[in-house]
Amino acid sequence: MNTVQWNPLKVKSLLGLQGMAEDAAFVKLGNYISIREVSSQTIIRHAGTVETESHVLEKGLIGMFRNGKLIRVFFEGDMFLDFDSYREQIPSRFEFRALMDSCFTVLTYEDEKLVLQDLPEFKEVSEYLISKVRNSNEQWVAFSQLPYEDRLRELELKVSNLRFILKIKELASLLGISNRSVTRLRSRESHQGGGENWKESITQKIGYPFKHSRHAQANQLEALAISWACDFHSFLCDPEEVKRFQKSKLGLLSTYLYPEIDFDKGLWINKLYVWLFFLDDKTDQLIPGSKERFWKLILDWVLVFWGKERGNPPFLPSKIASIANAFQDLWMELEQMDQVSKVQIELIQAEIQAHLHYSWIEAGFRDRGAYPSLEDYLEYKPYFSGAKLAVSLTCLEFEDQVFESDSLWQETASLRDLGAKLIFLDNDLISYKKEQAIGDHMNYLALLVLHNSLSPLEAKEKVLAIRTSVLQDFMAENKRWMEDFNPENHLILQKLKYIKFKIAASAFWSLKISNRYE
């Protein structure tokens, strides 16, 4: 977070203390007060501890929790503390937690005594603030008696996108309604502008001046990959799970991404995608607190299997062992495949390792209920979304002799980076509505709502504008290579075509083929 530029006169303004003590006195108050910045989901004070600080919220949103349930929120200009615990110096029943990136003043119990001793003009201010806190508590009690929709309307006058900032269970406990009712509140179209259909709106906005294609043997590739997962390794074995997998057309994605690839290599990629889709879905099914461990076990095992880490592979529970066994089979198959060079294998290994590593990082955020900064998210997302992996696996679409040197890889780095960025931006636009309904904030739009206090529509327009800029950069690269043809560039042009297939196909599959984001 950025360091806050603060001066004590802000307290006077935030609390409406004009006319109470001179400005010079508030400047002196700065010797006793500090400012603190915290990230979203940071616990400011645990329940069961004594309240030793009073705070004035300068920016952000703070939640008061009782037994894990959100019972009150504090906005800019509010004082927040457990007044009874602070005054009596007894353990508090409440926890305070930041619900957005926040900054607030800190005045300790001991320093308050010194203020009243050294700056007697603050005695009147102190009495006023005590009455202000008590009045605020009484107002919240009266507020709690309003119908929940009226309460939400009032709260969103303070923070317009509150229903999207809070987790489903947090908003449910704050309003006193069920999680399902919160989901319905979120899914209403009225607050998103004219009752528009999100998927139709995104479909109209996402288009490319190049076409997608599909592998001629797509259905056979899909069937063989799912059979490999079900009949040979049994990590995909639950009948309902298999049915959902087939209904979502997950086994068909790679047939759109790699429509001209050799059949054996295409089947290998399809198996890898089935394996990765399974890991992604399994992560969603795991309860918070176990997601990070799941990915760490897999990552550690794979690194030992590859020989990148010394020692014995970690012990794997039986269900995870079947996942590891499937990967071992998959990797041995790649190493024994005809027309695959050592350089290609090393490239694929690096990309899979990066995908597993950043998926582990993402799982850690999910476990903690925390969110990365926008800068970190833009660094992580191309990897854990699979966008970077998708464009990197183009190395298998070429003959092994092409990769005797890495010149092709170096010359197409910019094309791959721009292609991966377009893929994940499209995915975030398409998946946002579904992910919000289930409380998943690992999405660029959701983080813009959380960190920049934008409305969902404003976030969508911002991401669309970013996407337009990236597409313009990609098309400029496209033009450079297309207009400068010579026989030596034929591999670059082939690579360019393959990346275009992936960009167009990813959006087409998500919008027209799969029901994954409905």
Side-chain angles (χ1 to χ4, degrees):
M1 296 180 63
N2 296 324
T3 301
V4 174
Q5 298 298 317
W6 177 80
N7 74 70
L9 292 179
K10 284 190 175 182
V11 175
K12 187 173 186 178
S13 174
L14 282 170
L15 294 176
L17 297 175
Q18 290 81 357
M20 300 183 70
E22 298 295 328
D23 286 356
F26 276 91
V27 172
K28 293 179 183 177
L29 182 65
N31 296 324
Y32 304 89
I33 290 181
S34 61
I35 191 83
R36 185 183 303 166
E37 291 183 275
V38 296
S39 300
S40 177
Q41 299 304 310
T42 299
I43 296 176
I44 297 165
R45 184 183 53 71
H46 289 276
T49 58
V50 176
E51 184 72 274
T52 59
E53 299 175 344
S54 64
H55 312 94
V56 178
L57 182 58
E58 182 179 328
K59 179 183 177 183
L61 185 68
I62 302 297
M64 180 187 226
F65 291 79
R66 172 84 187 276
N67 297 328
K69 293 187 176 183
L70 180 62
I71 61 172
R72 183 174 175 179
V73 288
F74 296 87
F75 300 99
E76 179 180 328
D78 287 344
M79 287 188 66
F80 68 92
L81 76 163
D82 179 347
F83 185 74
D84 292 335
S85 174
Y86 182 82
R87 275 333 216 185
E88 302 297 327
Q89 290 296 279
I90 58 176
S92 172
R93 298 168 295 168
F94 308 108
E95 171 187 288
F96 285 99
R97 188 190 310 163
L99 300 173
M100 296 171 58
D101 293 349
S102 302
C103 62
F104 48 85
T105 64
V106 179
L107 177 64
T108 68
Y109 181 77
E110 294 301 325
D111 281 342
E112 185 198 0
K113 291 181 179 179
L114 293 176
V115 168
L116 295 177
Q117 175 183 310
D118 299 342
L119 304 172
E121 56 264 61
F122 277 99
K123 185 175 186 302
E124 180 186 1
V125 172
S126 176
E127 291 173 351
Y128 170 78
L129 292 178
I130 290 172
S131 66
K132 184 180 177 74
V133 169
R134 287 174 172 162
N135 185 52
S136 173
N137 291 339
E138 291 170 0
Q139 288 178 342
W140 187 265
V141 170
F143 179 69
S144 70
Q145 303 304 297
L146 295 174
Y148 77 84
E149 289 189 321
D150 291 346
R151 295 174 67 197
L152 181 60
R153 191 176 300 112
E154 290 294 321
L155 292 171
E156 290 195 323
L157 290 176
K158 299 275 191 178
V159 177
S160 62
N161 49 349
L162 190 69
R163 72 183 75 192
F164 296 98
I165 290 174
L166 299 182
K167 298 177 183 177
I168 289 177
K169 65 179 182 179
E170 291 172 348
L171 188 57
S173 62
L174 182 66
L175 298 179
I177 57 178
S178 68
N179 291 355
R180 184 174 296 180
S181 295
V182 171
T183 301
R184 284 198 296 269
L185 277 174
R186 284 182 163 189
S187 64
R188 288 180 186 170
E189 303 295 341
S190 57
H191 66 282
Q192 298 207 11
E196 69 174 5
N197 180 287
W198 186 268
K199 185 174 180 179
E200 288 182 4
S201 168
I202 294 300
T203 302
Q204 293 168 7
K205 298 286 187 179
I206 294 179
Y208 290 102
F210 39 83
K211 294 182 178 180
H212 67 274
S213 186
R214 184 176 120 146
H215 199 283
Q217 296 166 287
N219 292 333
Q220 186 179 0
L221 288 170
E222 177 194 30
L224 287 171
I226 292 178
S227 174
W228 171 80
C230 296
D231 302 328
F232 285 82
H233 291 288
S234 301
F235 65 85
L236 184 64
C237 56
D238 181 274
E240 289 301 316
E241 199 165 37
V242 174
K243 185 178 179 181
R244 184 171 62 251
F245 208 88
Q246 293 172 324
K247 186 177 180 181
S248 297
K249 307 294 184 183
L250 302 184
L252 282 179
L253 174 58
S254 71
T255 69
Y256 284 91
L257 297 176
Y258 310 90
E260 296 182 357
I261 197 168
D262 171 81
F263 184 88
D264 289 338
K265 294 178 181 177
L267 179 57
W268 188 88
I269 291 176
N270 205 318
K271 291 176 182 177
L272 176 64
Y273 268 69
V274 167
W275 189 76
L276 292 173
F277 269 128
F278 177 82
L279 295 185
D280 190 57
D281 287 350
K282 180 59 68 177
T283 305
D284 290 340
Q285 296 165 16
L286 294 172
I287 63 171
S290 59
K291 301 174 189 289
E292 186 175 21
R293 181 170 181 265
F294 173 72
W295 279 98
K296 191 68 166 68
L297 280 171
I298 292 169
L299 175 60
D300 288 348
W301 184 92
V302 168
L303 291 177
V304 173
F305 168 66
W306 277 337
K308 291 198 169 188
E309 297 287 346
R310 294 182 179 179
N312 297 320
F315 168 77
L316 299 177
S318 58
K319 289 188 176 181
I320 298 180
S322 64
I323 299 171
N325 288 339
F327 183 82
Q328 181 175 355
D329 176 36
L330 195 63
W331 195 254
M332 291 172 62
E333 183 182 331
L334 178 67
E335 291 181 325
Q336 296 165 10
M337 193 176 294
D338 291 336
Q339 297 183 341
V340 177
S341 70
K342 182 179 178 182
V343 174
Q344 286 170 304
I345 291 174
E346 289 174 349
L347 288 172
I348 294 169
Q349 187 180 74
E351 292 300 332
I352 291 177
Q353 180 177 340
H355 180 85
L356 296 177
H357 173 78
Y358 284 101
S359 294
W360 166 54
I361 289 178
E362 183 206 18
F365 280 108
R366 292 182 185 276
D367 271 351
R368 296 188 296 275
Y371 315 110
S373 68
L374 289 168
E375 293 77 15
D376 286 343
Y377 178 80
L378 291 176
E379 176 188 347
Y380 304 157
K381 180 68 175 187
Y383 293 96
F384 71 73
S385 68
K388 189 81 161 48
L389 181 64
V391 295
S392 296
L393 286 174
T394 53
C395 68
L396 281 181
E397 294 178 288
F398 292 89
E399 294 182 3
D400 52 337
Q401 297 93 330
V402 171
F403 284 88
E404 292 177 357
S405 73
D406 61 357
S407 59
L408 175 65
W409 209 245
Q410 291 177 348
E411 288 185 276
T412 59
S414 177
L415 287 171
R416 293 198 315 276
D417 289 344
L418 291 168
K421 195 165 187 179
L422 285 169
I423 290 171
F424 94 71
L425 288 171
D426 285 352
N427 181 260
D428 278 11
L429 284 160
I430 295 165
S431 64
Y432 171 74
K433 192 69 178 294
K434 177 188 174 181
E435 290 172 353
Q436 283 302 286
I438 61 175
D440 181 356
H441 294 307
M442 292 298 281
N443 180 293
Y444 197 18
L445 281 77
L447 292 177
L448 285 169
V449 170
L450 287 164
H451 292 315
N452 289 3
S453 299
L454 302 181
S455 71
L457 272 181
E458 290 170 335
K460 181 179 78 169
E461 293 305 318
K462 184 174 180 65
V463 174
L464 283 169
I466 293 170
R467 177 189 173 277
T468 297
S469 176
V470 176
L471 179 56
Q472 288 172 346
D473 291 343
F474 182 86
M475 294 310 296
E477 284 281 295
N478 175 77
K479 182 179 180 181
R480 180 168 73 89
W481 288 111
M482 295 287 283
E483 291 183 348
D484 186 31
F485 174 74
N486 66 63
E488 293 182 358
N489 288 344
H490 76 284
L491 289 176
I492 301 289
L493 294 176
Q494 193 173 352
K495 176 84 171 183
L496 175 61
K497 180 181 76 167
Y498 290 154
I499 293 175
K500 287 178 185 176
F501 278 153
K502 284 154 193 60
I503 295 168
S506 178
F508 178 79
W509 177 85
S510 299
L511 290 167
K512 300 293 187 180
I513 303 300
S514 178
N515 66 359
R516 187 169 180 81
Y517 303 114
E518 292 180 357

